[in-house]
Amino acid sequence: MPYIKEICVAGRILEVRKYHTLRYNCKGEKREGRYRQTCECQQRVNQRKAERTLRRLMNTNFTDNTGMLVTFTYFPRNRPKDSKQMQVDMRNCLKKMRKIFKDKGIPLKYIYVKELGKRGAAHIHMMMSICTPQELKQCWTKGGIDIKPLYSKGDYKGIARYFIKAALKTEETEGQLIGKRWNPSRNLKQPVVIKQVVRSSTFNHGIRPKKGYILNPDSVREGYTEAGFKYFSYTMYKEEGGG
């Protein structure tokens, strides 16, 4: 049975995934145990897929030297009634931010998510191009701002996971889907993803080093999916000075 070998280049990070897909004939493939689809199972699959997509987008467009993590908070008197109001507030903030970046002659890149708790606490989390606290204060008047530098060597999987959890929290609070779980600027580049159909006889023939990259040993994953099929994945990051 064939499987998919997927190679993704996202900024400094190179990901390799090997997995089976139900798009291809599964005849003759031995599964690990019996598979029975459940709502919870599908939710976990969807969440991992969302985290992977967002992580790759972040890795492609931001580096520790060009981006930062910002949390926009609300004063109690300005708390929004729902995520739609949060969207309006951020849209107004971004209008001011775009003008500041345009005056400086540099592009504004961003990805943000809305987090709304059941008790009314509201935050907007954003990964964005670097600017000063003073510039942000000019744009955001609904509450405070918290700025943190990026320090993950170009692999922002932890931030992507946090963003998705924040979006899921908002959906749980409102009891419905919120549309886009994250909101990106239109000038973001997409990661390069190459997929190959490969014979199952070569499923797990080890990790293939790539010149100029270093293996992250903690990234190696091997096992079985919820459907009972094998998977294998690992991540490499580009060496410093490797371009």
Side-chain angles (χ1 to χ4, degrees), residues 72-74 78-94 112-117 120-125 140 142 166 170 173-174 178 183:
F72 298 87
T73 64
Y74 282 86
N78 292 331
R79 281 184 174 177
K81 62 180 181 179
D82 54 28
S83 63
K84 291 182 179 179
Q85 182 59 53
M86 297 172 72
Q87 189 78 11
V88 173
D89 294 338
M90 181 48 62
R91 189 180 302 130
N92 293 333
C93 176
L94 285 169
Y112 72 86
V113 295
K114 297 161 290 186
E115 179 179 2
L116 183 63
H123 307 84
I124 297 176
H125 306 284
W140 181 254
K142 295 292 183 177
T170 303
T173 297
E174 298 191 329
I178 58 175
N183 295 265

Side-chain angles (χ1 to χ4, degrees), residues 33-46:
R34 295 179 61 84
Y35 172 59
R36 188 174 183 178
Q37 180 71 292
T38 65
C39 181
E40 292 80 6
C41 171
Q42 189 59 48
Q43 287 176 348
R44 290 195 299 270
V45 172
N46 292 342

Side-chain angles (χ1 to χ4, degrees), residues 161-180:
R161 185 178 302 116
Y162 183 81
F163 273 33
I164 295 300
K165 287 182 178 179
L168 292 174
K169 182 178 180 181
T170 303
E171 291 181 349
E172 182 179 351
T173 297
E174 298 191 329
Q176 60 182 356
L177 298 178
I178 58 175
K180 293 182 179 179

Side-chain angles (χ1 to χ4, degrees), residues 102-210:
K102 183 178 180 180
D103 291 343
K104 294 194 296 185
I106 58 178
L108 168 62
K109 291 185 175 184
Y110 62 82
I111 301 171
Y112 72 86
V113 295
K114 297 161 290 186
E115 179 179 2
L116 183 63
K118 292 185 177 180
R119 296 185 179 181
H123 307 84
I124 297 176
H125 306 284
M126 178 182 289
M127 182 180 283
M128 62 173 291
S129 306
I130 292 177
C131 67
T132 68
Q134 292 74 21
E135 290 169 335
L136 284 179
K137 288 180 180 179
Q138 294 176 34
C139 303
W140 181 254
T141 59
K142 295 292 183 177
I145 56 173
D146 179 63
I147 302 174
K148 294 182 180 179
L150 302 179
Y151 51 89
S152 299
K153 295 184 178 180
D155 191 357
Y156 305 115
K157 58 181 180 294
I159 298 176
R161 185 178 302 116
Y162 183 81
F163 273 33
I164 295 300
K165 287 182 178 179
L168 292 174
K169 182 178 180 181
T170 303
E171 291 181 349
E172 182 179 351
T173 297
E174 298 191 329
Q176 60 182 356
L177 298 178
I178 58 175
K180 293 182 179 179
R181 284 181 172 167
W182 63 85
N183 295 265
S185 57
R186 294 181 180 180
N187 57 352
L188 298 184
K189 296 180 180 179
Q190 296 299 316
V192 177
V193 180
I194 301 173
K195 294 184 180 182
Q196 301 172 314
V197 179
V198 186
R199 295 176 61 181
S200 59
S201 58
T202 62
F203 185 91
N204 185 4
H205 280 190
I207 298 169
R208 302 185 65 178
K210 182 175 177 60

